[in-house]
Amino acid sequence: MNIEPEARKIECDFSKARIDWIPSDPELAQFWNAVSIGLPLLEGYLIRALAKAKKHLPEGREDLYADCELFCKQEANHSKTHMAFNDMVRATGYYPEMDKYTDRLREDYARFDRERGLRHAMLYAEGFETAGPIFASYFLVQANKRLKDQDVDLITLSLWRWHLSEEFEHRCCAFNVVEALYGTYWGRIGGIIKATSHLLGFAVPLSEYMLREDLKAGRMTGGFKGLVRKFKSYSGMFFFITPRLLRAFSPWYNPKNLKEPEGCEAVLRVASETLDLNLMAARARETV
Ligand SMILES: [Fe+2]
Ligand SMILES: [Fe+2]
């Protein structure tokens, strides 16, 4: 990438953003909304892990220390922006039981903090960070297709494009820290399985709940058409993500060798120039 990595503190106003930001694919939008709702808790756990791990790095790894600092700043910015989006979702009052799901997730991370050490946290972080660039590739490909839809909400779309492009940018940090501290192949595999199953175990039930509430209130149509839509978007994600995740199981896997997703650099460039999600949305069609 020909752009200097940096922590971009992004201004945002979600008052005009939409929950159904992909009107033609509401199930896919709700899946990503559910992920967004859990992200501040998840990223909080990663930040605590990396902030602690950087103090245990071998001598002479100032480069990695600096990477950890950038990682923590970028993740904190992601969390803050997703919290603003999540507040908008919560304020609609459409999903009264939403906080029950986040309470359970919060309790999981509190338990990990209490009962598991830094090694668990770092392997979990690395597992999640392995999925990050794959989600980035998936999302930038899908997002670029969605930009052709005139009615897609570009503010929410820009949130994900910016966030996942930064995930690609800092993809090596957790991997390098785990290599420096533990150098464990099987631990790394366990981390990928643990982090992705934990995230899905949160996001799938929550998005199912949100979809049920939408159906009940008549905000979307279900029936056979809805089933077909859901099957298409879930299977599309599954067939994109699974083989790439399995490739990361290779002992020779190193995230530095991953191909940059198309559009990633352009998204980051606009993000650096504007530092504003609404301005990024206005320029979204420039970056396809
Ligand atoms: Fe993030
Ligand atoms: Fe990340």
Side-chain angles (χ1 to χ4, degrees):
M1 250 195 298
N2 299 314
I3 186 165
E4 213 36 52
E6 61 170 320
R8 302 167 187 85
K9 206 169 169 199
I10 302 287
E11 293 297 321
C12 57
D13 170 12
F14 286 109
S15 57
K16 289 197 180 75
R18 293 212 317 266
I19 298 177
D20 63 332
W21 50 285
I22 320 173
S24 61
D25 209 342
E27 289 81 5
L28 187 67
Q30 284 298 36
F31 173 79
W32 286 93
N33 292 343
V35 174
S36 172
I37 289 163
L39 271 180
L41 293 168
L42 190 158
E43 291 182 322
Y45 185 56
L46 306 193
I47 292 170
R48 293 196 291 284
L50 273 288
K52 203 167 172 188
K54 73 179 183 192
K55 298 179 188 147
H56 298 276
L57 291 172
E59 242 174 86
R61 292 308 307 266
E62 288 77 19
D63 58 326
L64 203 43
Y65 190 94
D67 287 350
C68 290
E69 295 211 308
L70 176 72
F71 178 99
C72 292
K73 282 184 196 153
Q74 286 193 330
E75 294 296 11
N77 290 340
H78 301 165
S79 287
K80 199 180 135 249
T81 317
H82 279 277
M83 271 187 233
F85 175 81
N86 300 346
D87 285 346
M88 179 277 287
V89 176
R90 190 173 286 108
T92 62
Y94 290 170
Y95 314 106
E97 289 181 23
M98 170 179 145
D99 288 338
K100 276 191 195 164
Y101 292 82
T102 49
D103 286 347
R104 278 202 290 270
L105 188 65
R106 186 177 295 105
E107 177 44 41
D108 281 353
Y109 290 122
R111 185 163 40 81
F112 294 164
D113 280 337
R114 244 181 1 251
E115 296 172 7
R116 308 291 195 96
L118 178 60
R119 191 176 188 276
H120 176 271
M122 271 316 306
L123 293 175
Y124 184 103
E126 203 214 353
F128 179 73
E129 292 292 314
T130 304
I134 301 172
F135 282 135
S137 298
Y138 167 77
F139 208 86
L140 285 162
V141 171
Q142 290 302 314
N144 286 350
K145 281 189 204 155
R146 299 292 174 201
L147 283 174
K148 290 177 193 123
D149 283 348
Q150 288 306 317
D151 55 351
V152 74
D153 170 33
L154 294 176
I155 303 172
T156 310
L157 188 84
S158 298
L159 165 68
W160 284 108
R161 296 213 311 163
W162 156 68
H163 180 172
L164 290 167
S165 295
E166 285 194 356
E167 289 300 322
F168 184 81
E169 198 171 39
H170 72 220
R171 68 193 180 281
C172 296
C173 181
F175 176 88
N176 289 338
V177 171
V178 167
E179 287 301 299
L181 293 183
Y182 312 112
T184 156
Y185 171 73
W186 290 108
R188 189 169 73 74
I189 302 305
I192 297 174
I193 295 168
K194 170 84 199 200
T196 48
S197 58
H198 190 231
L199 174 68
L200 290 176
F202 167 78
V204 173
L206 176 56
S207 67
E208 287 298 311
Y209 161 70
M210 292 166 86
L211 288 169
R212 280 198 303 276
E213 292 296 312
D214 287 342
L215 277 174
K216 239 178 13 196
R219 286 186 293 271
M220 65 178 277
T221 53
F224 183 67
K225 248 178 141 178
L227 268 179
V228 171
R229 253 189 342 241
K230 194 198 270 180
F231 177 76
K232 268 167 86 180
S233 44
Y234 274 53
S235 60
M237 268 199 291
F238 179 83
F239 287 115
F240 186 92
I241 288 162
T242 311
R244 286 163 178 83
L245 208 54
L246 290 176
R247 234 174 275 159
F249 283 23
S250 156
W252 296 280
Y253 168 81
N254 188 324
K256 82 167 191 263
N257 301 324
L258 292 173
K259 192 169 161 262
E260 183 186 322
E262 217 173 310
C264 185
E265 192 179 323
V267 166
L268 291 175
R269 204 173 290 284
V270 175
S272 291
E273 279 168 23
T274 59
L275 297 179
D276 184 304
L277 209 58
N278 302 71
L279 296 177
M280 285 160 68
R283 291 176 59 181
R285 290 197 165 83
E286 268 176 43
T287 53
V288 185

